[in-house]
Amino acid sequence: MKQWTTGQDGIKNIKLEESKTPTETDLNDGQVLVKIGYVSLNYRDTEVCSGTYGHHASIEPGASLVPCSDMCGTVVASKSAQYESGTRVLSIFNQTHLSGQVTEQDLGSGLGLPLSGVLTQYRIFPDTGLVPAPSHLSDAEASTLPIAAVTAWTSLNHFQPMGQPISGKDRIVLLQGTGGVSIAGLQIAKALGLTTIITSSSDEKLKRAKELGADHTINYHTTADWDKKVLELMSGRGADVILETGGSQTLWKSFECVAFGGLISAIGYLSGKEDQPEKRFNVNVMALKRNVTLKGILNGPKDRFEEMLEIAYAEEKGIKPVVDRVFEFEEAKEALQYLESGSHFGKVVVRVA
Ligand SMILES: NC(=O)c1ccc[n+]([C@@H]2O[C@H](COP(=O)([O-])OP(=O)(O)OC[C@H]3O[C@@H](n4cnc5c(N)ncnc54)[C@H](OP(=O)(O)O)[C@@H]3O)[C@@H](O)[C@H]2O)c1
Protein backbone atom coordinates (compact mmCIF):
# COMPACT_ATOMS: atom_id res chain seq x y z
CA MET A 1 0.00 0.00 0.00
CA LYS A 2 0.97 3.65 -0.23
CA GLN A 3 1.24 6.09 2.64
CA TRP A 4 2.47 9.64 3.13
CA THR A 5 5.15 10.27 5.75
CA THR A 6 6.65 13.39 7.23
CA GLY A 7 10.01 13.90 8.91
CA GLN A 8 8.47 17.00 10.53
CA ASP A 9 10.78 19.06 8.32
CA GLY A 10 8.34 20.95 6.10
CA ILE A 11 5.23 20.23 4.04
CA LYS A 12 7.32 20.37 0.88
CA ASN A 13 9.33 17.37 2.13
CA ILE A 14 6.49 14.93 2.84
CA LYS A 15 6.98 11.64 0.99
CA LEU A 16 4.67 9.12 -0.67
CA GLU A 17 6.10 5.72 0.27
CA GLU A 18 5.34 2.02 -0.20
CA SER A 19 4.56 0.07 2.96
CA LYS A 20 3.36 -3.46 3.75
CA THR A 21 -0.43 -3.70 3.54
CA PRO A 22 -1.86 -4.95 6.85
CA THR A 23 -4.11 -8.00 6.59
CA GLU A 24 -6.64 -9.84 8.76
CA THR A 25 -3.83 -11.92 10.28
CA ASP A 26 -2.33 -8.74 11.78
CA LEU A 27 -5.50 -8.04 13.80
CA ASN A 28 -5.76 -8.59 17.56
CA ASP A 29 -9.08 -9.09 19.30
CA GLY A 30 -11.14 -5.89 19.27
CA GLN A 31 -9.34 -4.48 16.23
CA VAL A 32 -10.51 -3.76 12.69
CA LEU A 33 -8.71 -3.14 9.42
CA VAL A 34 -10.00 -0.02 7.67
CA LYS A 35 -9.64 0.89 4.01
CA ILE A 36 -9.38 4.65 4.14
CA GLY A 37 -11.64 6.53 1.75
CA TYR A 38 -11.21 10.23 2.56
CA VAL A 39 -8.96 12.19 4.91
CA SER A 40 -9.82 15.72 5.96
CA LEU A 41 -7.00 18.09 6.86
CA ASN A 42 -6.64 20.22 9.96
CA TYR A 43 -4.43 23.20 10.74
CA ARG A 44 -2.61 20.90 13.17
CA ASP A 45 -1.50 18.64 10.29
CA THR A 46 0.34 21.55 8.64
CA GLU A 47 2.12 22.19 11.95
CA VAL A 48 3.03 18.51 12.45
CA CYS A 49 4.54 18.38 8.95
CA SER A 50 6.41 21.64 9.60
CA GLY A 51 7.76 20.50 12.99
CA THR A 52 6.05 23.37 14.81
CA TYR A 53 3.39 21.42 16.72
CA GLY A 54 5.17 21.33 20.05
CA HIS A 55 2.67 22.12 22.77
CA HIS A 56 1.14 18.68 23.27
CA ALA A 57 2.27 15.06 23.14
CA SER A 58 5.27 14.88 20.89
CA ILE A 59 7.74 12.50 19.32
CA GLU A 60 11.47 12.81 18.63
CA PRO A 61 12.08 15.92 16.48
CA GLY A 62 12.69 14.73 12.93
CA ALA A 63 11.25 11.25 13.51
CA SER A 64 9.14 10.01 10.62
CA LEU A 65 5.39 9.44 10.96
CA VAL A 66 2.21 9.26 8.91
CA PRO A 67 0.41 12.60 9.41
CA CYS A 68 -3.32 13.45 9.76
CA SER A 69 -6.04 12.26 12.10
CA ASP A 70 -9.45 12.56 10.45
CA MET A 71 -10.72 9.89 8.11
CA CYS A 72 -13.83 8.19 6.82
CA GLY A 73 -13.25 4.61 5.70
CA THR A 74 -14.72 1.16 5.41
CA VAL A 75 -14.01 -1.85 7.61
CA VAL A 76 -12.53 -4.59 5.38
CA ALA A 77 -11.58 -7.13 8.09
CA SER A 78 -12.75 -7.37 11.68
CA LYS A 79 -11.97 -9.06 14.98
CA SER A 80 -14.52 -6.83 16.70
CA ALA A 81 -18.03 -7.70 17.82
CA GLN A 82 -18.98 -4.08 17.14
CA TYR A 83 -18.03 -3.64 13.49
CA GLU A 84 -18.46 -6.05 10.62
CA SER A 85 -16.83 -5.77 7.23
CA GLY A 86 -18.49 -3.14 5.09
CA THR A 87 -19.28 -0.74 7.96
CA ARG A 88 -18.40 2.91 7.26
CA VAL A 89 -16.46 4.41 10.16
CA LEU A 90 -14.87 7.66 11.35
CA SER A 91 -11.73 7.97 13.46
CA ILE A 92 -11.74 9.74 16.81
CA PHE A 93 -8.76 12.05 17.33
CA ASN A 94 -7.40 11.02 20.73
CA GLN A 95 -7.96 7.29 20.45
CA THR A 96 -8.31 6.67 24.21
CA HIS A 97 -10.38 9.76 25.08
CA LEU A 98 -13.77 8.13 25.44
CA SER A 99 -15.51 10.28 28.07
CA GLY A 100 -15.01 13.22 30.41
CA GLN A 101 -11.85 15.25 30.97
CA VAL A 102 -8.96 14.63 28.58
CA THR A 103 -5.74 13.49 30.26
CA GLU A 104 -2.05 13.66 29.50
CA GLN A 105 -2.25 9.95 28.71
CA ASP A 106 -5.08 10.53 26.20
CA LEU A 107 -2.96 13.13 24.42
CA GLY A 108 -0.45 10.34 23.86
CA SER A 109 -3.07 8.60 21.71
CA GLY A 110 -3.54 11.42 19.18
CA LEU A 111 -3.60 10.26 15.56
CA GLY A 112 -1.03 11.88 13.29
CA LEU A 113 1.23 12.65 16.29
CA PRO A 114 2.28 11.02 18.44
CA LEU A 115 0.55 7.96 16.89
CA SER A 116 0.91 7.13 13.24
CA GLY A 117 -1.90 8.88 11.37
CA VAL A 118 -4.42 8.24 8.63
CA LEU A 119 -2.86 9.60 5.41
CA THR A 120 -2.47 6.01 4.26
CA GLN A 121 -4.53 3.53 2.26
CA TYR A 122 -5.12 1.05 5.13
CA ARG A 123 -4.82 1.27 8.91
CA ILE A 124 -5.64 -0.95 11.88
CA PHE A 125 -7.77 0.66 14.64
CA PRO A 126 -9.08 -0.55 18.00
CA ASP A 127 -12.88 -0.60 17.70
CA THR A 128 -13.02 1.89 20.59
CA GLY A 129 -11.19 4.45 18.42
CA LEU A 130 -13.98 4.65 15.83
CA VAL A 131 -17.58 5.78 15.50
CA PRO A 132 -20.03 4.76 12.75
CA ALA A 133 -20.26 7.31 9.91
CA PRO A 134 -23.69 8.95 9.39
CA SER A 135 -25.34 7.22 6.42
CA HIS A 136 -26.77 10.43 4.95
CA LEU A 137 -23.35 12.09 4.58
CA SER A 138 -20.86 11.28 1.81
CA ASP A 139 -17.49 9.88 2.87
CA ALA A 140 -15.84 13.22 2.05
CA GLU A 141 -18.36 15.16 4.17
CA ALA A 142 -18.21 12.72 7.08
CA SER A 143 -14.40 12.77 7.12
CA THR A 144 -14.51 16.43 8.22
CA LEU A 145 -16.19 15.73 11.56
CA PRO A 146 -13.60 14.24 14.02
CA ILE A 147 -11.58 17.38 14.79
CA ALA A 148 -13.36 20.45 13.40
CA ALA A 149 -16.97 19.60 14.26
CA VAL A 150 -16.25 17.82 17.56
CA THR A 151 -14.12 20.78 18.70
CA ALA A 152 -16.91 23.21 17.80
CA TRP A 153 -19.48 21.01 19.54
CA THR A 154 -17.37 20.75 22.73
CA SER A 155 -16.72 24.50 22.65
CA LEU A 156 -20.45 25.14 22.72
CA ASN A 157 -21.58 22.32 25.00
CA HIS A 158 -18.73 21.41 27.33
CA PHE A 159 -20.62 22.64 30.40
CA GLN A 160 -23.99 21.26 29.29
CA PRO A 161 -25.30 17.95 30.60
CA MET A 162 -24.98 15.19 28.01
CA GLY A 163 -27.95 15.19 25.64
CA GLN A 164 -28.95 18.77 26.49
CA PRO A 165 -27.07 21.13 24.18
CA ILE A 166 -27.45 24.88 24.49
CA SER A 167 -30.27 26.25 22.38
CA GLY A 168 -32.32 29.33 21.69
CA LYS A 169 -32.14 32.46 19.54
CA ASP A 170 -31.22 34.54 22.60
CA ARG A 171 -27.85 32.74 22.89
CA ILE A 172 -25.25 34.59 20.84
CA VAL A 173 -22.24 32.75 19.38
CA LEU A 174 -19.20 34.49 17.88
CA LEU A 175 -17.08 32.58 15.35
CA GLN A 176 -13.69 33.81 14.16
CA GLY A 177 -12.66 33.33 10.52
CA THR A 178 -14.10 30.84 8.06
CA GLY A 179 -11.83 27.82 8.56
CA GLY A 180 -12.87 24.30 9.49
CA VAL A 181 -13.76 24.83 13.16
CA SER A 182 -15.63 28.10 12.61
CA ILE A 183 -17.75 26.87 9.71
CA ALA A 184 -18.62 23.65 11.57
CA GLY A 185 -19.43 25.85 14.58
CA LEU A 186 -21.66 28.06 12.42
CA GLN A 187 -23.56 25.07 11.04
CA ILE A 188 -23.96 23.47 14.47
CA ALA A 189 -25.04 26.75 16.10
CA LYS A 190 -27.69 27.25 13.43
CA ALA A 191 -28.90 23.66 13.89
CA LEU A 192 -29.33 24.44 17.61
CA GLY A 193 -31.25 27.65 16.81
CA LEU A 194 -28.57 30.00 18.19
CA THR A 195 -27.82 33.51 16.91
CA THR A 196 -24.47 33.72 15.13
CA ILE A 197 -21.88 36.37 14.32
CA ILE A 198 -18.92 35.39 12.14
CA THR A 199 -15.78 37.31 11.18
CA SER A 200 -13.59 36.96 8.10
CA SER A 201 -10.88 38.81 6.20
CA SER A 202 -12.90 38.30 3.01
CA ASP A 203 -16.28 39.75 2.01
CA GLU A 204 -16.68 36.91 -0.46
CA LYS A 205 -16.33 34.34 2.35
CA LEU A 206 -18.72 36.35 4.53
CA LYS A 207 -21.26 36.15 1.71
CA ARG A 208 -20.94 32.36 1.76
CA ALA A 209 -21.29 32.36 5.56
CA LYS A 210 -24.53 34.35 5.19
CA GLU A 211 -25.81 31.71 2.76
CA LEU A 212 -25.13 29.12 5.49
CA GLY A 213 -27.31 31.10 7.88
CA ALA A 214 -24.93 33.49 9.67
CA ASP A 215 -27.05 36.22 11.28
CA HIS A 216 -24.31 38.86 11.35
CA THR A 217 -20.97 39.15 9.54
CA ILE A 218 -17.95 41.36 10.21
CA ASN A 219 -14.84 41.81 8.03
CA TYR A 220 -12.01 41.88 10.60
CA HIS A 221 -9.66 43.58 8.13
CA THR A 222 -11.89 46.48 7.19
CA THR A 223 -13.40 46.62 10.72
CA ALA A 224 -10.29 46.28 12.88
CA ASP A 225 -12.36 47.10 15.99
CA TRP A 226 -14.60 44.08 15.40
CA ASP A 227 -15.06 43.67 19.14
CA LYS A 228 -16.80 47.06 19.26
CA LYS A 229 -18.92 46.03 16.27
CA VAL A 230 -20.02 42.86 18.12
CA LEU A 231 -21.16 45.00 21.07
CA GLU A 232 -22.91 47.42 18.73
CA LEU A 233 -24.74 44.60 16.90
CA MET A 234 -25.83 43.08 20.22
CA SER A 235 -26.90 46.41 21.79
CA GLY A 236 -23.96 46.32 24.19
CA ARG A 237 -24.56 42.80 25.46
CA GLY A 238 -21.83 40.90 23.58
CA ALA A 239 -21.55 37.20 22.73
CA ASP A 240 -22.46 34.44 25.18
CA VAL A 241 -19.99 31.97 23.68
CA ILE A 242 -16.90 32.80 21.64
CA LEU A 243 -15.07 30.13 19.66
CA GLU A 244 -11.61 31.66 20.10
CA THR A 245 -9.58 30.33 17.18
CA GLY A 246 -7.53 33.48 16.62
CA GLY A 247 -5.16 33.56 19.61
CA SER A 248 -2.71 36.38 20.17
CA GLN A 249 -4.41 39.05 18.05
CA THR A 250 -7.97 38.15 19.00
CA LEU A 251 -8.14 36.95 22.61
CA TRP A 252 -7.96 40.39 24.20
CA LYS A 253 -10.71 41.59 21.85
CA SER A 254 -12.82 38.56 22.73
CA PHE A 255 -12.61 39.61 26.38
CA GLU A 256 -13.94 43.04 25.32
CA CYS A 257 -16.99 41.68 23.50
CA VAL A 258 -18.00 38.62 25.51
CA ALA A 259 -21.29 38.97 27.38
CA PHE A 260 -21.30 39.30 31.17
CA GLY A 261 -21.01 35.74 32.50
CA GLY A 262 -20.06 34.50 29.03
CA LEU A 263 -17.74 31.73 27.89
CA ILE A 264 -14.60 32.03 25.80
CA SER A 265 -13.62 28.63 24.45
CA ALA A 266 -9.86 28.85 23.82
CA ILE A 267 -9.31 26.69 20.75
CA GLY A 268 -6.52 27.97 18.53
CA TYR A 269 -3.92 30.51 17.56
CA LEU A 270 -4.40 31.31 13.87
CA SER A 271 -3.06 34.84 14.42
CA GLY A 272 -0.04 33.63 16.41
CA LYS A 273 0.98 31.87 19.62
CA GLU A 274 2.99 34.72 21.12
CA ASP A 275 1.38 37.80 22.65
CA GLN A 276 2.31 41.04 20.96
CA PRO A 277 4.26 43.08 23.56
CA GLU A 278 2.15 46.19 22.92
CA LYS A 279 -1.05 44.19 23.42
CA ARG A 280 -0.23 42.53 26.76
CA PHE A 281 -3.23 42.43 29.04
CA ASN A 282 -3.97 40.95 32.40
CA VAL A 283 -6.16 37.87 31.94
CA ASN A 284 -7.15 37.97 35.58
CA VAL A 285 -8.47 41.52 35.31
CA MET A 286 -10.12 40.86 31.96
CA ALA A 287 -11.81 37.70 33.23
CA LEU A 288 -13.29 39.38 36.28
CA LYS A 289 -14.26 42.56 34.43
CA ARG A 290 -17.16 40.85 32.64
CA ASN A 291 -17.27 37.76 34.88
CA VAL A 292 -15.95 35.54 32.10
CA THR A 293 -15.11 31.83 31.93
CA LEU A 294 -12.04 31.07 29.79
CA LYS A 295 -12.05 27.35 28.98
CA GLY A 296 -9.29 25.57 27.09
CA ILE A 297 -10.70 23.09 24.60
CA LEU A 298 -8.91 19.97 23.39
CA ASN A 299 -11.22 18.39 20.82
CA GLY A 300 -13.67 16.25 22.81
CA PRO A 301 -14.36 12.75 24.03
CA LYS A 302 -15.95 9.97 22.00
CA ASP A 303 -19.27 10.19 23.85
CA ARG A 304 -19.59 13.90 22.95
CA PHE A 305 -18.79 12.96 19.31
CA GLU A 306 -21.66 10.43 19.39
CA GLU A 307 -23.93 12.98 21.07
CA MET A 308 -23.12 15.49 18.33
CA LEU A 309 -23.88 12.98 15.56
CA GLU A 310 -27.19 12.12 17.16
CA ILE A 311 -28.30 15.71 17.78
CA ALA A 312 -26.68 18.20 15.40
CA TYR A 313 -25.89 15.88 12.50
CA ALA A 314 -29.20 13.99 12.56
CA GLU A 315 -30.45 13.84 8.97
CA GLU A 316 -33.43 16.09 9.67
CA LYS A 317 -31.14 18.90 10.86
CA GLY A 318 -29.86 19.11 7.29
CA ILE A 319 -26.21 19.96 8.01
CA LYS A 320 -23.96 19.23 5.04
CA PRO A 321 -20.35 19.79 6.10
CA VAL A 322 -18.67 22.30 3.80
CA VAL A 323 -15.99 20.65 1.69
CA ASP A 324 -14.15 23.49 -0.01
CA ARG A 325 -11.94 21.33 -2.21
CA VAL A 326 -11.07 17.65 -2.74
CA PHE A 327 -7.48 16.73 -3.68
CA GLU A 328 -6.36 13.33 -4.97
CA PHE A 329 -4.14 11.15 -2.73
CA GLU A 330 -1.06 11.91 -4.86
CA GLU A 331 -1.75 15.64 -4.33
CA ALA A 332 -1.64 15.55 -0.51
CA LYS A 333 1.32 17.95 -0.44
CA GLU A 334 -0.60 20.52 -2.50
CA ALA A 335 -3.65 19.97 -0.27
CA LEU A 336 -1.65 20.75 2.90
CA GLN A 337 -0.09 23.80 1.23
CA TYR A 338 -3.54 24.99 0.16
CA LEU A 339 -4.81 24.64 3.74
CA GLU A 340 -1.77 26.46 5.09
CA SER A 341 -2.45 29.38 2.71
CA GLY A 342 -5.83 30.00 4.42
CA SER A 343 -7.59 30.38 1.04
CA HIS A 344 -10.19 27.77 1.92
CA PHE A 345 -13.70 28.09 3.33
CA GLY A 346 -14.60 25.17 5.61
CA LYS A 347 -12.68 21.95 5.02
CA VAL A 348 -10.01 20.61 2.66
CA VAL A 349 -10.21 16.89 1.92
CA VAL A 350 -7.96 14.25 0.31
CA ARG A 351 -9.51 11.34 -1.61
CA VAL A 352 -7.46 8.24 -0.70
CA ALA A 353 -9.37 5.32 -2.23
N1 LIG B 1 -8.12 22.93 20.62
C1 LIG B 1 -8.57 22.08 19.73
O1 LIG B 1 -9.11 21.02 20.05
C2 LIG B 1 -8.48 22.45 18.29
C3 LIG B 1 -9.18 21.72 17.32
C4 LIG B 1 -9.15 22.16 16.00
C5 LIG B 1 -8.40 23.28 15.67
N2 LIG B 1 -7.70 23.93 16.63
C6 LIG B 1 -6.96 25.16 16.33
O2 LIG B 1 -7.95 26.13 16.00
C7 LIG B 1 -7.49 26.97 14.95
C8 LIG B 1 -8.46 26.84 13.79
O3 LIG B 1 -8.33 25.55 13.20
P1 LIG B 1 -8.99 25.26 11.79
O4 LIG B 1 -8.69 23.84 11.48
O5 LIG B 1 -10.38 25.75 11.76
O6 LIG B 1 -8.09 26.20 10.89
P2 LIG B 1 -8.20 26.58 9.39
O7 LIG B 1 -9.30 25.84 8.71
O8 LIG B 1 -6.85 26.47 8.79
O9 LIG B 1 -8.61 28.14 9.49
C9 LIG B 1 -8.09 29.05 8.57
C10 LIG B 1 -8.85 30.36 8.67
O10 LIG B 1 -8.58 31.03 9.87
C11 LIG B 1 -8.94 32.38 9.72
N3 LIG B 1 -8.02 33.30 10.41
C12 LIG B 1 -6.70 33.48 10.23
N4 LIG B 1 -6.24 34.50 10.99
C13 LIG B 1 -7.32 34.98 11.66
C14 LIG B 1 -7.54 36.05 12.58
N5 LIG B 1 -6.53 36.87 12.95
N6 LIG B 1 -8.79 36.25 13.06
C15 LIG B 1 -9.81 35.46 12.68
N7 LIG B 1 -9.67 34.43 11.79
C16 LIG B 1 -8.44 34.22 11.29
C17 LIG B 1 -8.96 32.67 8.23
O11 LIG B 1 -10.33 32.93 7.91
P3 LIG B 1 -10.72 34.04 6.83
O12 LIG B 1 -10.03 33.63 5.56
O13 LIG B 1 -12.20 33.94 6.77
O14 LIG B 1 -10.23 35.35 7.35
C18 LIG B 1 -8.46 31.35 7.63
O15 LIG B 1 -9.07 31.06 6.40
C19 LIG B 1 -6.06 26.52 14.67
O16 LIG B 1 -5.18 27.29 15.44
C20 LIG B 1 -6.03 25.08 15.15
O17 LIG B 1 -4.74 24.66 15.53
C21 LIG B 1 -7.72 23.53 17.92
Side-chain angles (χ1 to χ4, degrees), residues 43 151 178-181 200-201 205 220 267 269-270 297 299 342 344:
Y43 188 78
T151 301
T178 58
V181 174
S200 175
S201 56
K205 289 182 177 182
Y220 64 82
I267 303 169
Y269 37 77
L270 288 162
I297 298 294
N299 190 237
H344 60 289

Side-chain angles (χ1 to χ4, degrees), residues 41-44 46-47 53 55-56 93 147-148 151-152 175-183 199-202 205-206 220-221 226 244-247 249-250 266-272 296-300 339-347:
L41 305 183
N42 292 290
Y43 188 78
R44 174 183 191 268
T46 66
E47 292 185 284
Y53 186 83
H55 56 288
H56 285 136
F93 169 46
I147 284 198
T151 301
L175 305 139
Q176 299 176 342
T178 58
V181 174
S182 296
I183 293 301
T199 70
S200 175
S201 56
S202 150
K205 289 182 177 182
L206 288 176
Y220 64 82
H221 274 178
W226 52 263
E244 231 304 328
T245 47
Q249 287 173 35
T250 56
I267 303 169
Y269 37 77
L270 288 162
S271 65
I297 298 294
L298 281 174
N299 190 237
L339 185 85
E340 192 181 39
S341 76
S343 314
H344 60 289
F345 178 91
K347 295 296 292 179

Side-chain angles (χ1 to χ4, degrees), residues 83-246:
Y83 295 112
E84 55 188 31
S85 284
T87 312
R88 290 169 67 239
V89 287
L90 306 179
S91 48
I92 65 169
F93 169 46
N94 284 311
Q95 289 273 286
T96 64
H97 187 204
L98 306 183
S99 188
Q101 175 62 50
V102 72
T103 64
E104 188 77 42
Q105 198 185 6
D106 291 326
L107 295 178
S109 71
L111 293 175
L113 192 128
L115 298 189
S116 183
V118 302
L119 201 52
T120 177
Q121 291 178 315
Y122 293 87
R123 193 184 187 286
I124 291 173
F125 292 86
D127 57 9
T128 47
L130 300 167
V131 295
S135 58
H136 61 283
L137 298 183
S138 70
D139 286 2
E141 290 165 344
S143 74
T144 67
L145 302 178
I147 284 198
V150 173
T151 301
W153 180 260
T154 313
S155 299
L156 292 167
N157 292 307
H158 183 87
F159 293 117
Q160 295 295 113
M162 193 72 80
Q164 295 173 41
I166 61 167
S167 60
K169 234 180 151 32
D170 57 333
R171 308 292 279 274
I172 319 295
V173 178
L174 174 64
L175 305 139
Q176 299 176 342
T178 58
V181 174
S182 296
I183 293 301
L186 172 63
Q187 293 185 296
I188 290 169
K190 290 322 295 174
L192 298 177
L194 311 174
T195 296
T196 50
I197 308 169
I198 188 163
T199 70
S200 175
S201 56
S202 150
D203 286 339
E204 187 52 41
K205 289 182 177 182
L206 288 176
K207 201 165 143 238
R208 291 179 70 185
K210 265 263 181 223
E211 286 160 12
L212 285 175
D215 297 287
H216 304 279
T217 59
I218 305 172
N219 184 317
Y220 64 82
H221 274 178
T222 53
T223 307
D225 289 341
W226 52 263
D227 50 329
K228 294 198 176 98
K229 186 72 184 168
V230 169
L231 290 174
E232 184 191 315
L233 286 169
M234 295 299 122
S235 311
R237 177 178 150 191
D240 298 295
V241 186
I242 300 181
L243 271 60
E244 231 304 328
T245 47

Side-chain angles (χ1 to χ4, degrees), residues 267-287:
I267 303 169
Y269 37 77
L270 288 162
S271 65
K273 292 182 189 176
E274 301 293 329
D275 281 347
Q276 304 153 284
E278 70 280 12
K279 289 292 178 210
R280 290 250 160 80
F281 64 94
N282 186 308
V283 176
N284 186 33
V285 170
M286 292 301 274

